[in-house]
Amino acid sequence: MSLAVDVALDGVRAPLSRARVKTIAQRVLRAEGVRQAMLSITFIDRRAIARLNAGHLGVRGATDVIAFGFERSGADAPVVGDVYIAPEVAREHARQRSHGVRTEVARLVIHGVLHVLGHDHPADDGRESSVMWRRQEALLRSAQRAGAA
């Protein structure tokens, strides 16, 4: 089994260490039954994620996380994907939701990996009651209990 996760900081400071981000992502992959993966997680600034959001999703403005999963060539092919996280936006959301920025970034890592794996949620008010959101929160609690998040 090979779960390759690369974590990069594109000129920004991440509230979690690269090692911790990698551990969280690998825990999600294992929990979802993935045996082979090549995943990159890049922390970028507000302007860069706004460009990605506009260019790839047609949405104006910055968001906290964007994920791209590439189609697998077969059942045995590795999962391949990219996750982009904007810590600045995550900090704002953590303040709005009255919890720590480390928790918010761990949630975004999990959220992004789940999107790479093909999970999705509605964009409306049903987002936080969706199957994906519940799975994300269960994985977050598990990572927190294990000291990974």
Side-chain angles (χ1 to χ4, degrees):
M1 174 170 56
S2 174
L3 300 176
V5 177
D6 180 61
V7 180
L9 305 174
D10 189 24
V12 299
R13 291 186 55 201
L16 296 176
S17 71
R18 288 179 181 179
R20 183 146 303 185
V21 170
K22 181 176 180 174
T23 297
I24 293 167
Q26 288 173 329
R27 285 180 61 87
V28 173
L29 293 167
R30 280 193 296 277
E32 294 298 300
V34 175
R35 299 183 55 76
Q36 298 283 334
M38 293 183 295
L39 185 66
S40 73
I41 300 173
T42 306
F43 289 87
I44 59 178
D45 66 21
R46 174 186 291 280
R47 293 179 76 190
I49 207 158
R51 282 193 304 274
L52 283 174
N53 207 16
H56 292 280
L57 302 176
V59 179
R60 290 183 54 139
T63 188
D64 48 10
V65 61
I66 294 178
F68 302 100
F70 298 93
E71 190 171 331
R72 295 170 76 178
S73 60
D76 293 335
V79 169
V80 179
D82 298 320
V83 177
Y84 297 91
I85 297 172
E88 183 181 353
V89 178
R91 281 184 193 90
E92 293 168 5
H93 291 172
R95 276 193 296 273
Q96 291 167 1
R97 296 177 179 132
S98 300
H99 58 254
V101 67
R102 288 185 177 119
T103 297
E104 185 66 14
V105 170
R107 177 177 284 113
L108 295 175
V109 170
I110 294 165
H111 191 89
V113 173
L114 288 174
H115 271 310
V116 166
L117 296 177
H119 294 270
D120 207 358
H121 55 78
D124 60 13
D125 292 340
R127 175 183 178 153
E128 292 187 17
S129 63
S130 70
V131 171
M132 178 187 169
W133 196 274
R134 289 191 310 268
R135 180 66 178 146
Q136 163 194 294
E137 294 304 298
L139 289 165
L140 178 61
R141 286 189 301 274
S142 174
Q144 288 171 324
R145 281 191 305 271

